[in-house]
Amino acid sequence: MAIEHSEQYIFLVDDEPIQNEMLKDHISSLFEYKLKTYESGEDALKDMHLNPAIVVLDFHLNSHLPDAQNGVEVLKKIKEIMRYSIEFVMVNMKTSN
């Protein structure tokens, strides 16, 4: 049975849509958080007003967009702008070509 946190968000930030979907499927089977997926840190930063409880960040966020911030840069930016504690999970998933 999933643990209910229906009024809280988990942000999944990964520039690989398949990775976001796999994480979303797995997390939604365990917890009843509202899940939002983002393909860039910049997009996730725009929604920080939703006050996520947890942010899952891909370390290699900028692999598709050369001007995009990587996961560490996004993490630092979130910590600068948020006034409350957020749990972070950094993931390092590389797909082979």
Side-chain angles (χ1 to χ4, degrees):
M1 178 169 184
I3 299 169
E4 186 173 344
H5 295 280
S6 61
E7 296 305 313
Q8 295 181 316
Y9 285 94
I10 295 177
F11 285 8
L12 306 174
V13 188
D14 195 314
D15 56 348
E16 294 288 340
I18 191 72
Q19 302 291 4
N20 266 337
E21 284 304 310
M22 288 186 337
L23 283 169
K24 185 177 178 181
D25 289 346
H26 181 68
I27 292 171
S28 67
S29 72
L30 300 173
F31 303 101
E32 291 184 11
Y33 282 87
K34 293 181 181 177
L35 299 173
K36 290 191 65 71
T37 60
Y38 302 92
E39 291 188 20
S40 75
E42 290 79 5
D43 288 341
L45 286 167
K46 292 175 187 173
D47 275 352
M48 291 309 294
H49 66 277
L50 296 173
N51 300 320
I54 302 168
V55 177
V56 180
L57 285 166
D58 176 19
F59 183 81
H60 298 284
L61 271 178
N62 59 353
S63 63
H64 296 298
L65 304 169
D67 294 346
Q69 297 176 26
N70 67 34
V72 173
E73 293 167 327
V74 174
L75 172 65
K76 289 178 183 177
K77 187 68 173 174
I78 291 171
K79 286 186 169 196
E80 284 175 15
I81 63 174
M82 297 310 292
R83 300 286 182 231
Y84 69 96
S85 178
I86 299 174
E87 298 294 326
F88 292 94
V89 177
M90 292 294 287
V91 293
N92 185 13
M93 295 185 278
K94 273 299 234 193
T95 55
S96 58
N97 294 333

